[in-house]
Amino acid sequence: MGDIRITEGEGLPETRAQRRHRKGKALAWFLGVVILVGLLGWVIPVNRYATARGYVTTREYAEVRSPVTGIVNRILVSSGETVEAGQVLVELNCAEEEASLSEAQARVSRLRSERERRQTEMSSTLSRKTVELAEQKRNHAAQLQVAELELANQESRLGLTQELVEKGLKSQRELDEIRLGRDLCQVRLEALRQKDFQVFEELLERDRQMYASEIQSIDEELSALEDSVRRAQARIENRKIRAPIGGKVVRYEFVVGELLEPTYVIYEIFGGEEQVLKLRVDERYATRLATGQRYRARLASYNSAIERIYFRGQVSYLRNVVQNDGQNAYRMAYCDFHPGDLAIQPGTTAEARIYYARSSFWSFLLNLEP
């Protein structure tokens, strides 16, 4: 007996050819969808970006460090105050430098007094010797004139006496005495004429040069001491930490009596009204960044679960060196920042994305760089 089959309106069973046709059609649809998705994945653009962290600052910005290692003696400026360029922020202890300065100034004062005393003595001695030499010259000139007059007188007497002797009115002895007196006058006059004051002038000039050399030596020593005074003053001045620019300050935590080193940042100064966004970008993105690239940032003060405010702009400047902070290497990017109507305080931290290229969805998904 045959089997009895009851149907409820189903169609006839598929033949083998129909099943092959359906499977082929499904495979074609599947391949078509895969190809379409693959093509769309290569066509759809995706922005590639570098993540960065940083904070809002001003166009004029400075970090203040101590120029030397020293102990804090006075703190003159606190956070939130506005300072001018060159204003003293902190004074370091400089007792040793002040002692050195006082000692050097005392030595300079003593040497200046010694120089003035020696200068007075030398001037007095040279003046006295100059006057004595001039007086000797005047006396010599007078003696020479007297000797010339005496010789003329003796010669006149000799001629007159000789005439009287020839007439027998005078003796030969008187004539010889007058002739001897004339000869003595000639000898005295010749001696006065041969007297030379050049040797005295040379001795006076030698004394003048010796005194000048001594004053020069004192001046050189005084100049060296004055240099030491200036160096001591510079060391004292170097222990006054001044503001390099004007603006509003943020003071780091340090107290009187604390030892500061040049590596410590003790103040930040934000100057001017124009603000910028300063970002640290990881070293692996260093070669992909360039000025003019767009960024999108969120600030910590305006980042909530309900509403997120984004700030947008462009990279305006990149530092050419890669810096290190412990184990992390980074490059600094400075971006323009437009807060709009919001009052953004300098120092507000930010997280940002810097868009540096566009690639396909598959390149992004597989992390293939464009």
Side-chain angles (χ1 to χ4, degrees), residues 288-303:
R288 302 186 182 98
L289 299 184
T291 57
Q293 293 175 343
R294 297 179 298 108
Y295 78 88
R296 187 186 72 176
R298 293 182 301 173
L299 303 185
S301 302
Y302 298 91
N303 185 17

Side-chain angles (χ1 to χ4, degrees), residues 91-223:
E91 291 182 355
L92 301 179
N93 186 284
C94 56
E96 183 177 349
E97 287 75 12
E98 288 178 347
S100 299
L101 176 61
S102 298
E103 181 182 357
Q105 288 176 334
R107 292 174 62 189
V108 167
S109 179
R110 288 195 298 269
L111 191 58
R112 283 177 178 171
S113 299
E114 176 65 18
R115 184 189 185 281
E116 291 178 359
R117 185 184 66 80
R118 290 295 297 151
Q119 183 71 44
T120 302
E121 290 180 357
M122 293 173 185
S123 298
S124 176
T125 302
L126 290 175
S127 298
R128 177 175 55 79
K129 289 184 177 182
T130 302
V131 170
E132 289 177 353
L133 181 59
E135 184 66 22
Q136 288 179 12
K137 288 182 177 181
R138 286 194 297 270
N139 292 335
H140 176 265
Q143 291 174 4
L144 184 63
Q145 189 175 9
V146 170
E148 289 175 348
L149 292 175
E150 288 178 349
L151 178 61
N153 181 51
Q154 289 295 331
E155 288 179 347
S156 176
R157 289 181 60 196
L158 180 62
L160 181 60
T161 303
Q162 190 171 3
E163 292 178 358
L164 294 176
V165 169
E166 291 175 355
K167 294 179 180 181
L169 299 177
K170 290 285 186 178
S171 65
Q172 185 65 35
R173 180 179 178 183
E174 290 182 0
L175 179 63
D176 293 340
E177 288 179 355
I178 294 175
R179 185 178 287 115
L180 178 61
R182 184 203 60 182
D183 293 340
L184 290 175
C185 287
Q186 287 179 341
V187 172
R188 187 181 304 112
L189 178 61
E190 187 64 24
L192 289 174
R193 286 175 176 174
Q194 292 180 356
K195 186 174 184 179
D196 188 5
F197 288 92
Q198 183 177 359
V199 63
F200 299 100
E201 293 176 349
E202 290 177 353
L203 290 175
L204 181 61
E205 182 62 25
R206 187 180 302 174
D207 290 341
R208 186 177 289 109
Q209 292 177 356
M210 181 185 66
Y211 293 155
S213 177
E214 184 176 350
I215 292 296
Q216 183 179 359
S217 298
I218 295 176
D219 287 340
E220 291 175 355
E221 185 178 357
L222 183 60
S223 177

Side-chain angles (χ1 to χ4, degrees), residues 255-267:
V255 296
V256 174
E258 183 176 345
L259 180 67
L260 296 183
E261 295 183 359
T263 56
Y264 299 160
V265 177
I266 58 176
Y267 284 96

Side-chain angles (χ1 to χ4, degrees), residues 339-354:
D341 296 331
L342 300 175
I344 308 298
Q345 295 297 322
T348 303
T349 58
E351 295 181 356
R353 293 179 177 181
I354 300 178

Side-chain angles (χ1 to χ4, degrees), residues 66-103:
S66 173
V68 295
T69 301
I71 297 174
V72 177
N73 191 35
R74 293 176 62 194
I75 300 174
L76 304 176
V77 177
S78 301
S79 289
E81 296 185 22
T82 301
V83 298
E84 298 179 354
Q87 182 175 337
V88 179
L89 306 176
V90 178
E91 291 182 355
L92 301 179
N93 186 284
C94 56
E96 183 177 349
E97 287 75 12
E98 288 178 347
S100 299
L101 176 61
S102 298
E103 181 182 357

